[in-house]
Amino acid sequence: MAIPSTSTSTSTSIEDLHPDVLTRTLRLLDGPTLAAACSATSHLRSLSSQSDLWLHLCLSTWPSLHHPRILPFLSISPRSFFSDAFPFPDAFAAGEVQLPDQLISAVDIYHRGVHIFSRVIETDTSSPWFRGSPFLIDAMEEKAEAVLPGASISPEELTLSWILIDPAMGRAVNVSSRRAVGMERNCYTGETMVRFASAAAAGERVIGAVVTCEEGTGHVRDVVLTAEDIDGACVSGEEALKFVRAMMEARRKGRGRLEEEEEAKQRYLEYLRRKRRRKESRARREGVLDMCCTAVGVAVFFAFLSLIAFR
């Protein structure tokens, strides 16, 4: 007698996994992937919206945020903080806005993905001295070098994050391009200066960090944040604060990381092109003015000679 065989097929969905297993898996994701998981299913949305996940993500992405001055602010809404600090601002232009009275800088430098430097700087931006002076924040006031043990540092392989936080308004923005947008070597000292910058959509302002690396070892010696206008001159603290506020309030598109970094570099190159054209135009105008002054001087000289000759 034949025994009938029955085959049962069972399918397992991701929601059948234990929540602890899913949570541990979600902790391994980067920010954009974790945000995408929120829109997959209602179950994943519930799990991936946990504050602990986003707090862990922020602290692992930016080790400088472990600072006691930042942790209380970060813990309020780590997901909102990540949404402010990770995507680049889309289109922004400085205008008349309320200026922050204090900025907290969270700076992290990586070399080939290895973290080599962290620093937190608190800056009082309310004083007339700061707002009237050229904008500059020095991340290495203590003059301690960023050293990678047992190896030299290649400046072109550095990545940098410089997050500016306004604790009063609860906003943050990353003013760095993450990857370098330009490099130049000082022919006198042999040092390499690596620039990370964010330029306005109109190309009239740029803010960014300059990392100075020693010759030979490549050890990071200086890290400063500055802001320049279209002529390459340092802008005042007040003008830079308007620029920073506009960046904080600008919308974030949340595009791919490589796409954002490439767009940041193209904006900076456009800024350089506009600055070069402006410099050439000013040089032409000055050349024409010099010729006119010379012509007038020659005419006056000959007129004076004629006056003497025919007296």
Side-chain angles (χ1 to χ4, degrees):
M1 178 179 175
I3 300 177
S5 62
T6 60
S7 61
T8 59
S9 61
T10 59
S11 60
T12 303
S13 68
I14 193 171
E15 297 188 1
D16 294 326
L17 297 175
H18 195 277
D20 289 345
V21 176
L22 283 176
T23 301
R24 287 178 177 272
T25 304
L26 292 173
R27 289 173 70 92
L28 303 176
L29 302 180
D30 59 13
T33 309
L34 183 59
C38 292
S39 58
T41 66
S42 58
H43 183 55
L44 281 178
R45 184 182 307 114
S46 175
L47 291 177
S48 56
S49 298
Q50 299 177 65
S51 293
D52 289 347
L53 277 177
W54 290 96
L55 181 61
H56 173 267
L57 177 62
C58 289
L59 294 176
S60 59
T61 304
W62 303 294
S64 59
L65 301 184
H66 286 86
H67 195 273
R69 184 67 176 85
I70 300 178
L71 273 176
F73 169 79
L74 175 63
S75 301
I76 295 174
S77 181
R79 183 174 180 180
S80 297
F81 183 91
F82 191 90
S83 299
D84 273 349
F86 188 81
F88 289 165
D90 184 22
F92 55 91
E96 296 300 325
V97 292
Q98 181 181 356
L99 302 182
D101 291 331
Q102 184 186 37
L103 287 177
I104 302 176
S105 299
V107 186
D108 292 286
I109 300 179
Y110 290 83
H111 179 257
R112 298 175 182 172
V114 178
H115 186 258
I116 62 172
F117 176 83
S118 279
R119 188 62 51 87
V120 172
I121 312 103
E122 297 183 53
T123 307
D124 179 13
T125 61
S126 62
S127 66
W129 177 85
F130 179 88
R131 296 189 177 186
S133 303
F135 177 79
L136 185 143
I137 299 177
D138 189 351
M140 300 191 76
E141 292 181 344
E142 301 175 6
K143 300 306 175 187
E145 295 182 354
V147 178
L148 186 62
S152 60
I153 295 176
S154 301
E156 64 274 8
E157 296 187 86
L158 290 175
T159 55
L160 177 138
S161 168
W162 193 307
I163 302 175
L164 291 176
I165 303 169
D166 180 358
M169 297 295 292
R171 299 302 302 271
V173 66
N174 200 329
V175 296
S176 170
S177 52
R178 280 197 289 263
R179 296 192 177 278
V181 295
M183 291 178 57
E184 57 184 88
R185 186 175 180 274
N186 189 316
C187 59
Y188 296 104
T189 64
E191 296 173 332
T192 301
M193 290 171 286
V194 190
R195 182 177 290 273
F196 304 82
S198 295
E204 296 181 353
R205 292 282 192 279
V206 64
I207 184 171
V210 178
V211 178
T212 303
C213 300
E214 291 184 349
E215 184 181 16
T217 61
H219 293 165
V220 177
R221 191 176 61 81
D222 281 315
V223 186
V224 296
L225 184 70
T226 61
E228 299 176 355
D229 61 14
I230 190 63
D231 294 318
C234 293
V235 303
S236 66
E238 182 174 358
E239 292 300 317
L241 290 176
K242 292 178 181 179
F243 194 58
V244 170
R245 171 61 68 191
M247 294 180 70
M248 288 181 175
E249 296 181 352
R251 64 177 182 172
R252 308 316 197 249
K253 274 190 174 181
R255 295 152 294 185
R257 178 167 183 165
L258 294 179
E259 181 183 349
E260 285 188 333
E261 292 172 357
E262 179 61 27
E263 183 174 336
K265 185 172 184 177
Q266 292 304 319
R267 281 187 180 181
Y268 179 72
L269 293 177
E270 176 61 24
Y271 162 79
L272 292 181
R273 286 191 289 267
R274 288 172 61 90
K275 184 170 73 171
R276 184 174 62 253
R277 288 196 297 266
R278 187 180 176 91
K279 183 178 180 180
E280 292 171 351
S281 176
R282 185 168 61 248
R284 285 195 297 268
R285 289 197 304 269
E286 291 176 352
V288 172
L289 182 61
D290 289 343
M291 290 179 61
C292 292
C293 291
T294 302
V296 171
V298 171
V300 170
F301 175 73
F302 279 109
F304 179 72
L305 289 180
S306 300
L307 181 63
I308 294 178
F310 294 103
R311 284 187 62 179

